[in-house]
Amino acid sequence: MESKTSWIEAEIARLKEQGLFTNIRTLESPQGAWLTVDGKRVLNFSSNNYLGLANDPRLIEAAKQAMDKYGVGPAAVRSIAGTMSLHLELERKLAAFKGVEATVTFQSGFNANLATLPALVGKDDVIFSDELNHASIIDGARLSRAEIVRFAHADPDDLRRQIANTQTSGRRLIVSDGVFSMDGDIAPLPELYKVAEEHNILLMVDDAHGEGVLGRGGRGIVDHFDLHGKVDIEIGTMSKAFGAVGGVVAGKQVIVDWLRQRGRPFLFSSAMTVPDVAACTAAVNILQSSTELVDKLWHNAELFKREMATLGFDIGHSQTPIVPVMLGDALLAQRFSRRLFEEGVFAMAIGYPTVPQGKARIRVMNSASHSPADLEQALAAFQTVGHELGVT
Ligand SMILES: Cc1ncc(COP(=O)(O)O)c(C=O)c1O
C-alpha cells in the first residue's frame, strides 16, 4: 500500500527540482545590524528590525522586570481567565501613541487579520481587496466567507468600477496593505478613503510595514496621510519595527469592543506572552519620547537608495525603507544573493511565486541599526557583485 505521506514527499521533490524549496538559514546571534548566519558574520539586510529594537537593552530590561512580576505566560484566553493589567497598559499606550479611541492586541499581525475580517463581514457581504494584499488578509477574507472582489493594485478608479459592478444588500469593506512589502510602495489611502466615503463602506488598512516607520515618529500610515479618525480599522504588527511580536487593531472604541466579543483568535487563543507585552510597551515609550530612531531609519534608507541608483541599479519605486533591487531573472537573483553572502552581506533573493515571473529581485531591508560604515560596506558589496554578474 502506498504510504499516506508519499504525496508530500513527491511535492517536496518537485519544489526542490524547481528551485522553490525554502532552505531556512540558522541564526546564532540576536537580530541586529550584524548577524551570525550559518556560522558566518554578515551584515543584516534581511529582517524587519527597522528600528533596531529587537535587541535593544531597554526592551530586554522591561521584559525581564515584567517576568519577575508576572511570570512568563498568560496561561489562558483573556476572556476566560481574565486579562493582565500589563496587556491593558500596552493597549492604552498604543491608543494614545496612534491617536485613536482604542486598541486591542493579538498574538501576531497575522492573527489580527484573522480576527478582524470575519468579525466584521460574513457570508452575505463583500470585501474589496487590493490584488497584492498580504496572505493574512487573504486568509482572513476567506475565513469570513464574504464574497472577495479584487481591485487592481493601488488603483482607486478600478476600486470604483468593482464597487459599481458588485450587487449586494449586505455589508461592504475595503481592505488594503498600507505598505506593500515586496516593492515598498504606499497604498493611496486618501483616495481609498474618498471612495469608501462616497459609498459608505468600511475602510481597513494593514499597516504592518508602516507601524514605527511612517508618520510622525512612526505613528503609522494614518498619521502619514493625516487621516486621523477617518480610517475605520487599522491593523498593525509589533513583530517588525517594534522589535518583539504581537498584533494590534486600532480604531473606534465600538470596533475594539466588538473584536473582544467576536474576534476568534482573541476568544480561542491565549494572549501575548508577558515579555512580549512588556517589550512592546517599552518600544511605544521609546517612540513616544523621541523620533531619533525613525529619523535614522529614513536617513539610512535615503542614503542607500541614492547610492544604489548612482551605482546604476534599478531600485523600483519604493517610497519606504524597503528597497527592491530589480534583477528580473530568478536564477540571477539567487546567484546575486549567494555572492552577496560570500561578500558578507545577508540580503534575500525573492522570486516567483512571491513576486511575478520575470520580476525577481534582492529585497533590501534598511534599519536604523546600520552605521555609516555598515552602509558603505554593503554598497561596496553590491557594486562588486553587480559588476561581476553584469548587472551594472
Ligand atoms: C501586511 C502584513 N500583515 C500582517 C503580517 C503578519 O505580521 P506578524 O508577523 O505580526 O504575524 C505581515 C508580515 O509579514 C505583513 O506584511
Side-chain angles (χ1 to χ4, degrees):
M1 206 193 300
E2 204 181 350
S3 136
K4 284 185 278 187
T5 53
S6 59
W7 68 272
I8 304 176
E9 284 152 29
E11 287 289 332
I12 287 177
R14 200 166 57 87
L15 287 177
K16 286 184 173 166
E17 254 167 53
Q18 294 170 339
L20 295 176
F21 186 81
T22 306
N23 286 303
I24 301 174
R25 291 190 185 272
T26 306
L27 310 184
E28 290 126 4
S29 62
Q31 283 289 347
W34 287 84
L35 295 175
T36 308
V37 182
D38 294 335
K40 185 176 162 75
R41 284 290 287 166
V42 285
L43 263 171
N44 179 15
F45 282 87
S46 278
S47 71
N48 303 317
N49 187 20
Y50 287 110
L51 302 177
L53 290 174
N55 190 33
D56 187 288
R58 293 165 290 183
L59 271 68
I60 296 168
E61 187 51 36
K64 283 181 181 164
Q65 281 187 15
M67 281 194 290
D68 284 343
K69 185 164 175 201
Y70 289 93
V72 179
V77 162
R78 294 169 71 182
S79 53
I80 294 174
T83 188
M84 287 177 174
S85 52
L86 203 65
H87 292 73
L88 297 176
E89 183 196 357
L90 171 61
E91 289 165 350
R92 272 195 303 272
K93 288 206 160 162
L94 279 166
F97 175 64
K98 293 183 69 61
V100 292
E101 286 179 16
T103 72
V104 55
T105 55
F106 292 89
Q107 305 82 356
S108 69
F110 205 108
N111 268 8
N113 278 321
L114 295 193
T116 304
L117 286 155
L120 295 176
V121 285
K123 84 175 166 28
D124 300 320
D125 305 331
V126 181
I127 296 172
F128 298 95
S129 178
D130 186 292
E131 63 182 343
L132 294 189
N133 275 345
H134 187 258
S136 56
I137 296 179
I138 296 170
D139 287 5
R142 286 179 180 153
L143 269 180
S144 77
R145 297 188 297 153
E147 182 187 354
I148 301 166
V149 176
R150 301 197 322 164
F151 61 91
H153 175 52
D155 186 342
D157 293 332
D158 190 50
L159 172 60
R160 271 199 187 86
R161 272 192 297 278
Q162 300 301 336
I163 292 170
N165 290 339
T166 306
Q167 301 302 321
T168 178
S169 55
R171 289 194 289 271
R172 294 175 297 176
L173 181 146
I174 297 166
V175 59
S176 176
D177 275 25
V179 174
F180 289 84
S181 62
M182 291 302 141
D183 290 287
D185 55 326
I186 301 176
L189 200 57
E191 287 78 18
L192 299 183
Y193 166 68
K194 251 172 93 181
V195 180
E197 278 303 285
E198 282 162 21
H199 297 273
N200 196 29
I201 301 179
L202 279 171
L203 177 60
M204 166 167 160
V205 66
D206 178 346
D207 201 24
H209 284 273
E211 209 78 79
V213 174
L214 293 179
R216 287 169 306 131
R219 283 166 175 75
I221 190 170
V222 169
D223 188 85
H224 172 79
F225 284 119
D226 199 11
L227 288 170
H228 288 283
K230 294 178 171 164
V231 176
D232 298 296
I233 306 116
E234 216 183 326
I235 305 288
T237 176
M238 293 171 284
S239 325
K240 301 184 194 297
F242 283 53
V245 74
V248 56
V249 181
K252 293 201 178 73
Q253 184 73 50
V254 67
I255 287 181
V256 166
D257 288 346
W258 183 240
L259 290 176
R260 288 182 200 269
Q261 301 300 316
R262 285 289 182 272
R264 288 168 72 84
F266 186 86
L267 298 171
F268 296 101
S269 184
S270 295
M272 288 171 72
T273 70
V274 168
D276 285 328
V277 176
C280 290
T281 306
V284 180
N285 289 342
I286 291 169
L287 291 186
Q288 188 77 263
S289 65
S290 162
T291 63
E292 188 188 333
L293 290 175
V294 180
D295 295 344
K296 181 148 185 247
L297 167 68
W298 282 93
H299 172 83
N300 282 355
E302 299 302 344
L303 187 149
F304 186 84
K305 284 190 215 181
R306 207 169 46 241
E307 293 298 318
M308 286 292 281
T310 307
L311 290 175
F313 285 100
D314 173 359
I315 55 165
H317 306 286
S318 168
Q319 299 163 279
T320 62
I322 299 170
V323 185
V325 182
M326 306 304 289
L327 296 170
D329 180 61
L331 287 177
L332 173 62
Q334 279 172 17
R335 266 181 74 200
F336 204 108
S337 174
R338 271 198 307 277
R339 278 290 298 119
L340 280 176
F341 192 76
E342 284 161 13
E343 295 290 321
V345 174
F346 182 39
M348 291 306 292
I350 312 264
Y352 180 80
T354 310
V355 293
Q357 295 267 24
K359 300 252 182 201
R361 64 200 65 179
I362 303 288
R363 187 176 68 146
V364 174
M365 303 300 288
N366 280 286
S367 169
S369 63
H370 293 129
S371 69
D374 294 337
L375 289 174
E376 214 172 285
Q377 191 171 329
L379 288 161
F382 268 96
Q383 185 174 26
T384 303
V385 179
H387 280 327
E388 186 183 302
L389 299 183
V391 176
T392 52

